[in-house]
Structures are given as C-alpha cells and as structure tokens.
C-alpha cells in the first residue's frame, strides 16, 4: 500500500482496485456462474434419473448449492456496495453513476470510441464512465435478484426462521410466480452483461495498454504519466 | 334457538360419544395443538353457546357451499357449520324472498357485535354494485351492513379472500375481496382456496369456541395452522422432486410411478396450504395425490399469476412471457456474443487500417 503511485520512466503505476473490490469481484463472478448453472437446472430440470428416489439427490443438490452460492453472492454484493461509500476514489458510487460533468464527458467519448467515431479511447485509471453506468445497472439487478430470491425462499423457510421476515417482499412482486419470472429475466441480463463485460475489458486491455485485465488480480494499472489524473 | 348446546343435538342426531371425541381430536390435529387439546375442544364444543353464523354469498360459483354440502356422510362438522346456528344462508335456508331477508335483518339487529359473518364470493363495485344485488340491495351494501356489525368476518374461498376469478384481469365488474371492499371490518380472516377446505373452516370456528380468540395469521390474514407451510414442503411426491424424477407428459412412465409434477407446472412450490395433510373430501385424496399439479388456488391473484397452469412460469398481461423468457434470454446472449465478436473484428480492422496514420493519432489522446 506504501507505493500507491510509483513512476518508472513515463509510466505511472497506480493502485486502483483495493482488495475488497477485487475479492468481491471474483466472488460475485464465481457465484454467478454457479447460481446460473444451478438456477437453470432448477427452472428446467433436464437431468432425469431412474430407480428409487432415495438413491438420488440431483435437484436437492442443485438447490443446496444454489442457496449457498446465493449467500456468497449476497454478502459479496453487500460488501461491494458498502465499499462504494468506504473505498478509494475508484470504488466510489460517483464512479458508477455518471453525474459529474467530467464523467458525462467521458461517457460520451467512450461511446464515440466504441462506435468507431473516436479513434483512441480516453485512458482512465478507474472504470470508464460508460462501463461505470452499466455497473450501476448491474447492481440494481443484483438487488432485484437478491430480493426475488429472498421472496422465493420465504415460502420454503422453516416456520420461525428469520428468513420468513422477508415475506413482505412477496406482494411487492405481485406474488411468488412473478418473483420467479423476474428471477429468470435477471439471470439473462447478468449473463448477457458478462459477455459484454469480458469483451470490453479485453478491448480496453488491448487498446489502452494500461493493464486492465491484470488490474483485477493485482490491483494496479499502468498509465502514462500525463494521463494519470485520478479524476 | 341460536344459543342451544351441541350435546343435546348430538344425542338427538345419534352421533356417538366416540365419534364426537374422534372429531375433537382431529380438529386438534388440524390446528396443530398438542394431545390434551382434544379434551379442551370437546368441553368447549359441548358446553359453550355456539357462535351465530351468517353466511353471505356474493359473486362466485357457490363452490364453497358445495364443498360443505358434498360431505359423504353427516359429520359433527356439518352440525357445527350448517345445522345449528347458521341463521342465514341463501342456498341452504328454507325461507325465501322477504322472509329470508327479514331473518337476516333480525339476526343482525338482535346480535350486533356478536355474530360471525362468513362471506363467500367477491364484492363487485363496478356499475354502482349492479352486478350483484340481493333483494334489491348491492353486495357492497349488504357486506357493509352485515360485516360491519359482526364480531368477526371470515372470507371463505379465494374470491372473498382475494377477489379470485371475478377479480382476475381485466376484472370487468370491479370485483374486490371482502377485506378491500369493507376495509374496517373487525377480525377479518381469509380462508382462501378454491374452494376453501371445509375442514379448515370448521377448525377455525372450533378454535374460536375453545380459546375465545382467533388464531395467529400470516401477512394475508390467513390462519397459520392452515396456511403456514408450502404445499411443496409436505407433498408426498417431494422425494421425487429432490431426486430429480419428473413427469414429462400425462400418463408417461413417471406419471404412473407417481413422480413429481414440477415440470407439468405444479404450483406447490408457490402455494401455502395444508392440503397434503388434511386433504379433501374427508381425507379421501387431493389434487397432487391423484396426479394433477397444484394450481395455486389459495394464493392472491392466483388466476393472473398461476396461469398457465401447466407451465412453470406465468404469462404477463396475456403475453406468453413465461414460456419465452428462457429461449429469448438464451437467444439474446447468443446475439450479444456475435455482436461483440463482430465489434472486435471491426476494432482490429480499424487498427490495421489506421496504423499508417498513427503519428497523427497521438495528439488526439490529450
Ligand atoms: S408435485 Fe408439486 S408440490 Fe409435490 S413435490 Fe412436485 S412440485 Fe412440489
């Protein structure tokens, strides 16, 4: 942490992603993979087994894994949301919701770059503003997934379980079936987002050459000195 | 007449003491009370004055009344529910016309604040209540008057509890549940399901007679003893659900083996009621027991959110959203993948083309 910024020649090494950001990123990543795979099976049980029921536990296992992964996901998302208020400049809510004029400008420039109009991207140590705006949307979907998931869980939670306290969510979604439908739609949003996210991170890595992919492991990005302003 | 005791009636009807105690024990079981409760129930049912019941029927199919009438042999429950203190019931009472309406008016007048109103059917509020009138008065008018002066109002069946089928989209008559139509009634209890289970209604009244209070309710004002658990959690096919053994088509091998009906659209996982335990028609059977998926009839908005009955996910406002959400999601994911690949190719091509002019680009960065 001592050398948050260090320069070597014209290149500056900047500590962008703090540990909670990286950790929650990968926990959310893995839990979404697990949740989507088990969730798809729960919605469409494509594996059928024969013989006595006592010999198998396919759906039971899928549900158990789904529920534990949901705990990991929910807690990770909660920590990341907390870090939007407690973290460094790059982790903050202002990086996600583009309200400042400079962020809006960056959003526009990034859009121009993606649509082949601008030739080179505006290199920026944190999220570009367009990506940030999408992450804000993704966090809204996370909340919807957690809320619909909790609503669906209340009905099978044991009598007296504290999870029963979330049953007020059920009428908000117009019943359990609508919550289930939203839960399905949310999964597809997140998977589609994931495809686009991986692509744009690779694109940024290649075109900006600032170590975008590496940064989610190491925390550091490398920017030419004159472009390295934090905000 | 309305305050006489059950013990005389039992003797007169030739119901043995043994049958009577059996009934009380079964009520204790439905209510989930401990073993000794059967005796307390017997004492209360035998000796306490029976509550006076008024049964109103509004916009529905009379299915709840039918459900009571179709008991295969007269039980103690019938006695409690319809023989003794049911002072008004349009379908069952001998009186008709103004004679019947006078009986209602008199019961309300003489027993204000003491009787229990059981309401079957939704209350239509459209066209000034003209869709359902009895003796020239609208259902809303009658509900206000009768439920307003009742010690408790029991909404029997999903139409009365949540609006049910009459209130389903597009709700042409402006149908409301009793609770929504007359919001200020005292001790509203919703006994949903289509029809409500007679066993649960009886148990509710027995509970009140024994303990002099109403049972704990869930957020939809349904008693927890009857609606506290998901059907799915007490279902006899649950082992097949957890194993991964599903009926794929009517009458297939899995169906004949009694496997889980989840893929046939079973709404047991979204519905709370004690059907798997209490069953229907004096414990003869219940829908899932005889091979049909649960349709979720005990839940609010069931017609709008539990349909299509044979699919897992609901339609939205008449569009087959539930059927298409996953195929469309998969398709969009594919389209997105193709789009980003195409975008990547475009970026690569431009880099190559723009290579010659790279010196001039440097200035653009700043
Ligand atoms: S038949 Fe319905 S209620 Fe029973 S285990 Fe299967 S899904 Fe659940």
């Amino acid at each position: 942490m001592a050398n948050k910024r260090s320069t070597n020649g014209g290149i500056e090494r900047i500590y962008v992603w703090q540990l909670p950001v990286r950790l929650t990123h990968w926990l959310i990543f893995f839990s979404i993979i697990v949740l989507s795979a088990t969730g798809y099976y729960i919605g469409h049980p494509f594996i059928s087994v024969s013989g006595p029921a006592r010999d198998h536990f396919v759906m039971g296992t899928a549900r158990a894994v789904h529920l534990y992964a949901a705990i990991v996901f929910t807690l990770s998302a909660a920590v990341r949301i907390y870090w939007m208020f407690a973290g460094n400049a790059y982790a903050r809510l202002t990086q996600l919701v583009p309200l400042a004029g400079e962020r809006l400008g960056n959003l526009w420039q990034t859009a121009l770059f993606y649509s082949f109009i601008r030739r080179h991207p505006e290199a920026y140590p944190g999220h570009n503003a367009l990506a940030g705006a999408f992450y804000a949307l993704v966090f809204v979907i996370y909340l919807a997934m957690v809320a619909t998931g909790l609503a669906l869980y209340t009905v099978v939670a044991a009598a007296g379980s504290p999870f029963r306290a979330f049953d007020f969510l059920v009428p908000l979604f117009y019943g359990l079936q609508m919550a289930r439908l939203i839960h399905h739609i949310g999964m597809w949003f997140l998977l589609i987002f994931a495809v686009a996210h991986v692509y744009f991170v690779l694109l940024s890595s290649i075109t900006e050459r600032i170590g975008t992919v590496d940064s989610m492991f190491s925390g550091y990005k490398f920017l030419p000195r004159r472009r390295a302003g934090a905000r | 007449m309305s305050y006489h005791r059950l013990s005389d009636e039992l003797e007169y009807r030739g119901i043995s003491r043994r049958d009577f105690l059996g009934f009380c024990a079964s009520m204790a079981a439905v209510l989930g009370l401990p073993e000794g409760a059967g005796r307390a129930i017997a004492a209360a049912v035998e000796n306490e004055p029976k509550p006076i019941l008024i049964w109103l029927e509004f916009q529905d199919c009379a299915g709840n009344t039918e459900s009571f009438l179709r008991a295969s042999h007269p039980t103690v429950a019938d006695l409690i529910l319809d023989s003794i203190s049911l002072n008004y019931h349009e379908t069952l009472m001998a009186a008709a016309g103004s004679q019947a309406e006078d009986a209602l008016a008199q019961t309300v007048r003489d027993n204000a604040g003491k009787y229990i109103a059981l309401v079957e059917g939704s209350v239509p509020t459209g066209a000034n209540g003209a869709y359902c009138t009895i003796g020239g008065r609208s259902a809303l008018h009658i509900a206000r008057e009768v439920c307003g002066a009742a010690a408790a109002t029991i909404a029997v069946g999903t139409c009365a509890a949540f609006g049910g089928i009459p209130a389903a989209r597009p709700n042409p008559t402006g149908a409301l549940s009793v609770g929504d139509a007359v919001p200020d009634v005292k001790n509203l209890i919703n006994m949903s399901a289509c029809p409500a289970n007679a066993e649960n209604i009886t148990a509710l009244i027995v509970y009140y007679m024994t303990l002099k209070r109403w049972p704990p309710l869930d957020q939809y004002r349904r008693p927890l003893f009857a609606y506290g658990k998901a059907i799915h959690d007490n279902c006899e096919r649950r082992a097949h659900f957890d194993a991964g053994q599903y009926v794929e088509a009517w009458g297939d091998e899995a169906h004949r083996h009694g496997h889980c009906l989840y893929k046939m659209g079973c709404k047991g996982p979204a519905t709370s009621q004690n059907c798997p335990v209490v069953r229907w028609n004096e414990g003869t059977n219940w829908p899932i027991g005889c091979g049909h998926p649960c349709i979720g009839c005990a839940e609010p908005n069931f017609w709008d959110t539990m349909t299509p009955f044979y699919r897992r996910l609901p339609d939205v406002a008449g569009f087959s959203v539930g059927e298409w959400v996953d195929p469309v999601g998969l398709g969009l994911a594919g389209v997105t993948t193709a789009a980003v690949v195409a975008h990547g190719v475009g970026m690569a091509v431009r880099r190559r083309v723009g290579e010659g002019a790279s010196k001039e680009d440097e200035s653009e960065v700043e």
Side-chain angles (χ1 to χ4, degrees), chain A residues 42 44-45 51 114 167 199, chain B residues 219 245 262-263 312 326 343:
Chain A
I42 293 167
H44 303 269
Y114 287 161
D167 62 4
Y199 168 72
Chain B
Q219 64 169 333
Q245 300 181 315
Y262 185 75
K263 287 177 104 169
R312 289 248 30 88
D326 291 327
H343 194 267

Side-chain angles (χ1 to χ4, degrees), chain A residues 144-162:
Chain A
M145 292 305 269
V146 170
T148 49
L150 279 173
L152 289 166
Y153 187 69
T154 55
V155 75
V156 290
S161 155

Side-chain angles (χ1 to χ4, degrees), chain B residues 32 121 123 214:
Chain B
V123 181
W214 298 101

Side-chain angles (χ1 to χ4, degrees), chain B residues 167-215:
Chain B
R169 212 181 60 88
N171 193 357
T173 65
L176 293 178
S177 68
V178 174
D180 286 342
V182 196
D184 47 359
V185 295
K186 270 190 263 138
N187 296 317
L188 174 73
I189 295 173
N190 287 325
M191 300 299 282
S192 60
C194 191
N197 197 325
E199 207 85 23
N200 289 336
I201 309 276
T202 314
L204 175 67
I205 291 169
V206 165
Y207 185 104
Y208 177 69
M209 289 170 72
T210 310
L211 297 172
K212 306 283 179 298
R213 57 181 160 85
W214 298 101

